[in-house]
Amino acid sequence: VQICAGTHAVNGLVIDDEITLEGESSATTTLTGSGVNGILRIDSTEATVRGLTFTGGIGMQIPQFTQGT
């Protein structure tokens, strides 16, 4: 899924299948939350997220998460 440049309000998005979310670049594409909930939860082992900046969400680190380059 291509996400165009800009700031996009997102709350509680759940990914539970194979998908790639790709913003134009992390400098120009932002997903922003309300500061109350998480922005994105990934429940899939086949998900790729790149070219995005996340702001305004509540985060938690998952031990089995592997950050790409």
Side-chain angles (χ1 to χ4, degrees):
V1 176
Q2 295 283 340
I3 303 173
C4 61
T7 300
H8 309 280
V10 178
N11 283 296
L13 178 64
V14 177
I15 295 175
D16 60 2
D17 206 347
E18 182 177 343
I19 193 169
T20 297
L21 293 179
E22 185 167 6
E24 286 191 25
S25 88
S26 59
T28 62
T29 311
T30 301
L31 300 183
T32 185
S34 64
V36 176
N37 297 313
I39 297 171
L40 174 68
R41 186 177 89 208
I42 299 175
D43 289 340
S44 171
T45 59
E46 299 296 325
T48 301
V49 178
R50 63 178 161 237
L52 296 167
T53 295
F54 296 89
T55 63
I58 295 174
M60 65 190 301
Q61 186 167 348
I62 309 297
Q64 66 270 22
F65 176 73
T66 302
Q67 182 175 352
T69 56

